[in-house]
Amino acid sequence: MRFELLVFATAACARPSGRVRVVGLDVALGASYDFVIAGGGTSGLTVADRLTEDPNVSVLVIDAGPLDDQSNGIMIPGLNNGTGDLPYWFPGVTSLPEPGLDNRTFNVPTPRVVGGASTINGMVYDRGATADYDAWEQLGNPGWGWDGIYPYFKKAENYSAPDPDFAAQWNISFDLFANGAGGPIEASFPPFYFPAAVGFTQGLAELSIPTPKDPGSGYKNGICWAPSAIVPGTYTRSYARSSHYDRVAATRPNYHLLTLHTVVQVVFENQRAIGIEYVSRETGKSAIMRANKEVIMATGTFFTPKILQLSGVGPKHLLEDLGVEPIVDLPVGYNFQDHLFTATKWNYSDPLRPIFTDRQSNNTLALANLHEYFASHNGPYAVGAGNTLAFLPTDLLLSPGNMTTNITTSSILLLARSTTHKDIYPLPNTPPTVVAGWMAQREILVQLYASSSAPTIELAYNTSPFMVAYLLRPLSRGVVAATKSNLTGSNATELGSEPPTIQYGSLLAASDMPFLVASIRFMRELIKTPAARAAFGEQTFEEIPVLRSDGRETDDEIAALQRLQVLPADSHPVGTCSMLPRHLGGVVSPELEVYGVERLRVVDASVIPLIPAAHPMSTVYAVAEKAADLIKKRYGITIGVL
Ligand SMILES: Cc1cc2nc3c(=O)[nH]c(=O)nc-3n(C[C@H](O)[C@H](O)[C@H](O)COP(=O)(O)OP(=O)(O)OC[C@H]3O[C@@H](n4cnc5c(N)ncnc54)[C@H](O)[C@@H]3O)c2cc1C
């Protein structure tokens, strides 16, 4: 057994104090609530926290998962690996064979735990560029541009600047005014970083890649030190459970949490949502909870569309196939997006040590590092998935002088413009509104691909042997759909837990590929810089599977290998219940209300209409913060509204 697996199980390093209000343990279930929230994850707990600021508002959150045990594997940033060693995942979630990826299928890590993905994720806490959110507004969502959402990024967080010596050592610049103070989620920097990362940051500088003053300001082109959702001082995870539940639950008799219960469907009276049907994972018994004001969906990008579809809110053809009585014909499940990624593998002869992965292969070192963490909250275990990133708009991606490629911005634009909806959504039953919405997005994406202030590729490097390139703005789209077997389930206690079908649709748009090819070429130039050589010693690179090490493949040869090595997702799924006008395939309005029905809202990552150039967690918190204000305003609640 790996050393790190052993320490997962050891005593927790930080536990919040105070009683929590878990239904069945601390309080009895109410007869009804003002708001019933399906899913107590990143967004669900944020909204519940904000709504219950008013003591007259009652909220029940129903989550399929347990409270996590706050053991080291959750709380210590360096022990988190997001790969499923912990028992907090929906079982058996896989994707369909991907035609653009050599028909490979993939595991889809989907959290089933209070706090959702914020409980098990890599803690990278960056926000998108101004252009990301302005694009949402441009698509027909008034109030959701940068100016409309930026205050909620700030409201969500308590930003701590890096230690001055650390900032000077790593050339980290920041602007305190660009960030939030006093919010529930801690955004901070680790006190330690892996020395070889200098080969990445300085190597990029040697390629004339700039460093923005503070990437949180909305301008994030270039070398980026991303904060982590980590409590400074103790260097433990800051997440939705600790910040939006533990922090307040003991003093809020109006905030109830029901764990280990799976939401099966939304219950309607005519076109009005009146409650939620859920089932106990312990007894298999089902029940209905009434919502006096609203049902709020926050079960995430895979389960929210599935639940809505099984409840009769979905595309007509799917509801007919399922035999579900239709409530409203809406394109739930379409417009599915994630950040697919490729990588180069670097073989070092003599890197500055320790590198990120050293402790995984050396138990003595791991023990010493862990002692350091417990003694001084410092060292490699204080670091989450990593903090050194680079965000490159197309012109910077193609800028290195020695890069040999036929790819140009114009050639990418040509490919994007000539991609048709039939490439993306080949099935004839695709709703026309989805096609119209995709075409509207294509127009905006073409502008963003050509913009020098909108990153299209992210490079991430934490000194593990892999340097990763994420496609930030795919033109390809996927679909999530409930199945007939979802209706019955394999057994009573797991009813509601079976996943929907998930089709990523990766690389169906021809214009997505050149970004990846250019990224491979860019990473090869980076590895040759004097700074990289000094940090790693002489190295060679290889892709997976191995390319010719002389790097003289054609663009087409590199592209062919991408289909074999690309992974379709970085666990950043969004878009399946998109906030868009109805004629553009929208499922929810700018108020996040589901079209065509009453008293039903969606507040999770599924409402994001266009994936931002960022790891999505901080955007999800900001969306949920804004959602809470929209709901409060709707019901005349003024406490805590911005
Ligand atoms: C492994 C992994 C690593 C990631 N790393 C990062 C990162 O480093 N930085 C970053 O910015 N983003 C990261 N993300 C993405 C980010 O965490 C998510 O985008 C965000 O947390 C999603 O929030 P949400 O509220 O939409 O869903 P979630 O937080 O997933 O919440 C959904 C909740 O619904 C519950 N649920 C689901 N179905 C049901 C049901 N039927 N009944 C009852 N409850 C249900 C789940 O238990 C869960 O609590 C990562 C995600 C994953 C999975």
Side-chain angles (χ1 to χ4, degrees):
M1 183 187 255
R2 237 176 51 218
F3 172 81
E4 290 188 353
L5 295 187
L6 285 173
V7 292
F8 270 140
T10 62
C13 63
R15 286 197 172 87
S17 57
R19 273 165 67 79
V20 292
R21 267 174 214 284
V22 179
V23 171
L25 292 178
D26 308 275
V27 289
L29 193 61
S32 67
Y33 293 80
D34 291 328
F35 298 94
V36 180
I37 301 182
T42 314
S43 54
L45 292 183
T46 304
V47 171
D49 173 8
R50 294 307 188 184
L51 293 181
T52 54
E53 285 172 343
D54 184 332
N56 297 314
V57 171
S58 63
V59 171
L60 174 68
V61 178
I62 304 175
D63 200 277
L67 285 163
D68 70 282
D69 59 4
Q70 300 198 311
S71 61
N72 293 333
I74 295 286
M75 302 307 291
I76 298 182
L79 280 174
N80 170 262
N81 61 11
T83 57
D85 290 333
L86 297 159
Y88 301 134
W89 306 90
F90 279 95
V93 189
T94 54
S95 65
L96 294 173
E98 289 297 330
L101 300 181
D102 198 37
N103 283 322
R104 288 177 292 148
T105 58
F106 300 87
N107 288 327
V108 183
T110 310
R112 180 166 65 171
V113 60
V114 173
S118 76
T119 306
I120 44 76
N121 69 16
M123 294 172 248
V124 180
Y125 198 80
D126 64 325
R127 45 186 168 258
T130 312
D132 285 299
Y133 311 100
D134 286 347
W136 296 5
E137 189 154 42
Q138 243 179 300
L139 282 166
N141 295 304
W144 286 93
W146 172 261
D147 291 343
I149 195 169
Y150 186 38
Y152 291 100
F153 279 107
K154 289 184 164 183
K155 183 177 185 182
E157 72 183 11
N158 185 40
Y159 176 90
S160 298
D163 171 82
D165 292 340
F166 186 78
Q169 178 195 349
W170 285 99
N171 191 27
I172 309 174
S173 60
F174 56 89
D175 174 4
L176 281 180
F177 293 107
N179 296 289
I185 298 294
E186 299 286 351
S188 72
F189 297 85
F192 163 87
Y193 211 66
F194 302 95
V198 74
F200 179 71
T201 53
Q202 281 189 12
L204 285 163
E206 286 172 6
L207 291 177
S208 303
I209 302 301
T211 303
K213 179 161 187 203
D214 189 319
S217 66
Y219 184 81
K220 63 186 303 192
N221 283 1
I223 305 158
C224 167
W225 274 87
S228 297
I230 291 178
V231 182
T234 62
Y235 295 99
T236 49
R237 180 184 293 274
S238 174
Y239 60 130
R241 178 201 162 167
S242 58
S243 300
H244 288 293
Y245 184 69
D246 293 340
R247 184 179 64 87
V248 297
T251 56
R252 301 233 184 121
N254 52 333
Y255 186 168
H256 287 185
L257 172 66
L258 182 61
T259 61
L260 292 171
H261 285 74
T262 311
V263 172
V264 179
Q265 63 172 329
V266 179
V267 181
F268 287 94
E269 258 175 24
N270 302 316
Q271 302 299 108
R272 171 179 287 194
I274 57 151
I276 275 177
E277 184 188 350
Y278 59 94
V279 62
S280 163
R281 283 182 56 203
E282 289 161 322
T283 65
K285 283 194 183 144
S286 69
I288 290 174
M289 178 53 67
R290 275 189 88 92
N292 301 321
K293 289 192 165 66
E294 281 189 18
V295 168
I296 298 174
M297 296 302 301
T299 44
T301 295
F302 299 123
F303 278 83
T304 290
K306 179 197 131 177
I307 293 166
L308 289 182
Q309 291 162 351
L310 294 177
S311 310
V313 178
K316 190 164 167 274
H317 67 87
L318 178 67
L319 301 182
E320 280 169 9
D321 286 353
L322 293 170
V324 167
E325 191 187 333
I327 302 287
V328 56
D329 175 13
L330 281 179
V332 173
Y334 287 94
N335 200 33
F336 170 40
Q337 301 153 64
D338 204 313
H339 292 138
L340 63 79
F341 66 98
T342 188
T344 48
K345 184 172 186 225
W346 295 25
N347 299 320
Y348 325 113
S349 61
D350 186 22
L352 300 171
R353 293 205 180 268
I355 61 169
F356 190 84
T357 41
D358 274 348
R359 62 184 189 272
Q360 288 167 7
S361 54
N362 181 339
N363 284 354
T364 311
L365 179 69
L367 195 58
N369 289 163
L370 208 57
H371 275 309
E372 182 184 12
Y373 178 84
F374 284 124
S376 61
H377 300 294
N378 208 330
Y381 280 104
V383 183
N387 300 77
T388 38
L389 314 173
F391 289 89
L392 305 176
T394 313
D395 56 356
L396 286 183
L397 176 68
L398 298 173
S399 66
N402 295 328
M403 210 162 105
T404 51
T405 177
N406 294 323
I407 298 164
T408 62
T409 305
S410 312
S411 69
I412 293 175
L413 297 188
L414 202 63
L415 283 174
R417 287 204 180 96
S418 57
T419 302
T420 73
H421 69 271
K422 289 188 180 152
D423 301 319
I424 306 303
Y425 293 118
L427 293 180
N429 56 16
T430 305
T433 58
V434 170
V435 172
W438 176 81
M439 286 167 70
Q441 292 176 48
R442 186 184 60 181
E443 286 315 301
I444 288 177
L445 286 172
V446 162
Q447 290 166 25
L448 296 179
Y449 293 163
S451 163
S452 57
S453 57
T456 49
I457 282 287
E458 174 190 339
L459 301 183
Y461 186 62
N462 64 6
T463 76
S464 82
F466 297 100
M467 183 181 291
V468 182
Y470 300 95
L471 178 62
L472 294 171
R473 303 187 190 285
L475 184 55
S476 305
R477 294 288 179 272
V479 182
V480 170
T483 65
K484 273 193 177 151
S485 64
N486 290 159
L487 286 163
T488 48
S490 52
N491 65 60
T493 53
E494 283 299 293
L495 186 62
S497 290
E498 299 80 5
T501 61
I502 296 170
Q503 182 84 70
Y504 284 105
S506 310
L507 292 179
L508 292 182
S511 53
D512 285 350
M513 181 61 90
F515 287 113
L516 300 180
V517 175
S519 301
I520 297 283
R521 295 217 185 270
F522 186 102
M523 290 189 275
R524 288 178 179 175
E525 294 308 311
L526 181 52
I527 209 169
K528 288 186 223 155
T529 57
R533 286 177 191 277
F536 300 117
E538 287 303 312
Q539 343 87 44
T540 57
F541 60 83
E542 55 184 279
E543 281 85 33
I544 333 139
V546 180
L547 292 178
R548 274 188 358 215
S549 59
D550 60 6
R552 286 194 287 123
E553 303 84 359
T554 65
D555 289 345
D556 286 346
E557 283 171 327
I558 296 178
L561 283 165
Q562 295 313 301
R563 300 208 181 272
L564 304 177
Q565 78 165 23
V566 156
L567 296 180
D570 188 31
S571 294
H572 295 171
V574 304
T576 50
C577 299
S578 278
M579 171 177 65
L580 284 170
R582 209 165 165 181
H583 69 277
L584 295 181
V587 171
V588 299
S589 70
E591 280 69 42
L592 304 181
E593 290 169 318
V594 176
Y595 291 120
V597 294
E598 290 171 45
R599 305 199 333 183
L600 179 62
R601 239 178 261 255
V602 183
V603 298
D604 58 29
S606 69
V607 302
I608 292 175
L610 204 52
I611 193 164
H615 301 243
M617 168 170 52
S618 102
T619 298
V620 172
Y621 279 123
V623 167
E625 290 280 6
K626 190 169 162 76
D629 269 12
L630 290 169
I631 297 167
K632 284 177 171 176
K633 284 177 189 164
R634 162 73 181 77
Y635 294 96
I637 303 164
T638 52
I639 296 176
V641 173
L642 269 192

